[in-house]
Amino acid sequence: MLSVLGSLKHERKGPSGGLAAFHPHVANRNTDRQSERPTPPLPGRRITNAERFAQGLPPLPPRRLYKPAPSRQQPHRARASNVALGEFRIHVYDSKGLFGTSQGYVGSNVDSSGHYPLVGDAASGVVAIYDNSGAITNTAVTGDHPYLGFVNPAGNTNDNSKEGGWLSATRYAPPGSGPVQSTDGTTLPGGSKDTYETAVWTIGSGNELIASWYDTTGGVHSMVLLLVLGNFLLVDQVANPAPNTVRFFAEAV
């Protein structure tokens, strides 16, 4: 009996407290599991996709070999077309300008009221030139009214007038003159009560054509252009915010 008890002391017990018998197949499975573990790569060595596949691992993410040029990574920005004082057409955009939607062009021919209309294609657009006085000339007109100015049919010549007017064919009026009274029909056709201004244009960023309005004291007023029934109306910027605001840009011919 003592020899039996002594032999039991040396028996290995399992997790449940029972005797654990030695099984060679269990030992072999443990050895196999250890051999199935992925072999870590050597320090500083990049493991290949073939090796990863053999170890049951997913492939490495693809490397981006193409690096785009910096200009392609930058958002689009408006660029000047370098019209300078050469011939150009007047491209009409919505209130967002070059970042917005094209509305068409200022037409080459005035309508029955003497106003310049909106046209849909560049070929029908006015070809104009700009001079240092701030006037824009229609190169196709050789008569008395070659300028693209603004006519106020109300004939308002008050000192603080900033009523603006319709984009029309006009005679020349010097810069800062304020509303000039028409005596011979400034528009085609026109009336003696019309007042007009001509040299009111400046060229801004991206060759934007910006029109102002001068009162009789020489004061200048910031204005905006509205598209109204196919024509262009210059109005006070602060008093008349409107969704039909448009902007003009010189576009090289």
Side-chain angles (χ1 to χ4, degrees):
M1 176 66 71
L2 291 175
S3 61
V4 174
L5 291 175
S7 64
L8 289 174
K9 288 180 181 179
H10 297 287
E11 294 289 343
R12 185 166 57 90
K13 293 186 177 182
S16 61
L19 297 178
F22 174 77
H23 296 285
H25 296 293
V26 174
N28 290 338
R29 283 200 299 269
N30 292 336
T31 305
D32 293 341
R33 287 172 183 170
Q34 291 178 356
S35 64
E36 290 174 358
R37 294 177 182 174
T39 302
L42 296 175
R45 177 177 173 272
R46 179 183 175 92
I47 186 171
T48 66
N49 277 336
E51 293 171 330
R52 294 178 68 87
F53 291 146
Q55 297 179 14
L57 299 174
L60 294 168
R63 289 181 296 170
R64 187 175 186 180
L65 300 179
Y66 168 70
K67 184 178 181 181
S71 60
R72 296 192 179 188
Q73 296 175 336
Q74 299 296 326
H76 173 72
R77 289 183 172 89
R79 293 179 298 172
S81 57
N82 297 321
V83 169
L85 301 181
E87 293 184 347
F88 58 87
R89 288 188 172 90
I90 302 176
H91 200 157
V92 182
Y93 287 84
D94 62 17
S95 60
K96 295 181 180 179
L98 295 176
F99 294 98
T101 304
S102 170
Q103 305 296 302
Y105 292 81
V106 174
S108 178
N109 301 313
V110 296
D111 59 20
S112 60
S113 297
H115 305 326
Y116 280 98
L118 176 73
V119 296
D121 62 302
S124 302
V126 63
V127 176
I129 56 174
Y130 176 86
D131 66 41
N132 290 329
S133 73
I136 294 177
T137 303
N138 183 345
T139 60
V141 176
T142 58
D144 295 332
H145 307 84
Y147 297 98
L148 279 75
F150 293 93
V151 171
N152 186 338
N156 194 339
T157 56
N158 294 336
D159 287 348
N160 63 351
S161 172
K162 52 182 178 180
E163 292 186 359
W166 297 93
L167 182 66
S168 307
T170 68
R171 289 181 178 273
Y172 183 77
S177 64
V180 175
Q181 188 81 50
S182 173
T183 57
D184 60 351
T186 302
T187 60
L188 301 176
S192 59
K193 292 183 179 180
D194 293 345
T195 56
Y196 65 95
E197 295 191 20
T198 304
V200 296
W201 300 97
T202 56
I203 299 180
S205 175
N207 284 329
E208 182 173 8
L209 300 170
I210 303 170
S212 302
W213 188 260
Y214 294 83
D215 60 37
T216 55
T217 65
V220 60
H221 303 278
S222 297
M223 312 290 277
V224 295
L225 287 160
L226 303 182
L227 180 60
V228 180
L229 299 177
N231 292 121
F232 304 100
L233 180 64
L234 188 69
V235 297
D236 176 36
Q237 185 176 20
V238 177
N240 296 278
N244 56 330
T245 298
V246 293
R247 294 165 66 181
F248 287 179
F249 289 84
E251 184 178 278
V253 174

